[in-house]
Each structure stands twice: as C-alpha cells, then as structure tokens.
Amino acid sequence: QVTLVESGGGAVQAGGSLSLSCAASGFAFSRYCMGWFRQAPGREREYVAGISWNGGVTEYADSVKGRFTISRDNAKNTVTLQMNSLKPEDTAVYYCSGDPNMAVLAGGVALTWGRGTQVTVSS
C-alpha cells in the first residue's frame, strides 16, 4: 500500500522558516521523482517543487524559487522541503507525491495524496 505522510507544518510570521518532511512507503521510492504541491483555500492544487530520483535535478515554481529547497534521502525514503523567507501567500496545505517522470509529476499526475500539512504565514 502506497503511503505518504507529510509533517512539519505550522504557523509562522512572514520572513520565518519551516521544514516540511514527507515519509514514503509502499513503492520503489528511489526510482521515483518526488514533488511538493500546495493548495490554498478556494484554489487548485499547484506544483511547488520537484526532485529527480537521484536528487541530481531539482525544479521550482517561480513563486518559490530562491526561497524553497527540496531534497531527498533515498536511504530513509524521505523528501524534505526547506522553506525560508515565508510570505503570507505561501499559506496552504502542503502535499508530497511522486511519479517516475518529472514532467508527469509537474502536471499533477501522481501516485496518491496524503493528508498534507498546514502552513500558515501571518503578516
């Protein structure tokens, strides 16, 4: 059974930092590109960042470029999103998921979705 469990969310003031973690199980993690997505109230889920199976390639949405960093640990089956210089517009529920193909993942087609973790940034 594929399981994705996100954690690390919380409430911070603008300019603060958070580190999100995603624990994955039930699939060949090291063979999958992984990504972080977010969904704000009343908005569609959007792709935030992605990382290739070996960590050699990363990509980011323009809105987070330079502020967020995605990384992975294939030995622990985890993917992390370090978020710095947070802004109120980063407020959303954050999800992780994966696909063998980065382009497919960026299009929102993914394995499954966990419950997500809430990030709230106040001004």
Side-chain angles (χ1 to χ4, degrees):
Q1 180 181 358
V2 175
T3 304
L4 298 163
V5 180
E6 302 91 348
S7 62
V12 296
Q13 291 190 327
S17 299
L18 283 172
S19 181
L20 306 184
S21 183
C22 171
S25 62
F27 64 103
F29 181 82
S30 63
R31 297 181 183 179
Y32 276 68
C33 300
M34 296 298 295
W36 283 94
F37 300 76
R38 66 186 181 187
Q39 187 167 21
R43 302 187 66 176
E44 293 188 352
R45 182 151 41 203
E46 65 171 336
Y47 179 65
V48 174
I51 187 166
S52 61
W53 63 273
N54 64 352
V57 176
T58 57
E59 59 183 25
Y60 299 92
D62 288 343
S63 58
V64 307
K65 204 171 292 184
R67 300 187 298 122
F68 290 12
T69 303
I70 188 171
S71 60
R72 67 187 295 158
D73 185 336
N74 285 347
K76 296 181 179 180
N77 283 14
T78 58
V79 57
T80 299
L81 186 68
Q82 176 65 41
M83 307 187 296
N84 298 326
S85 302
L86 283 162
K87 304 176 180 180
E89 50 264 44
D90 294 319
T91 295
V93 178
Y94 284 71
Y95 304 86
C96 72
S97 196
D99 191 274
N101 185 297
M102 186 89 91
V104 171
L105 181 64
V109 178
L111 273 173
T112 187
W113 301 101
R115 292 186 175 182
T117 186
Q118 175 71 48
V119 171
T120 303
V121 185
S122 58
S123 57

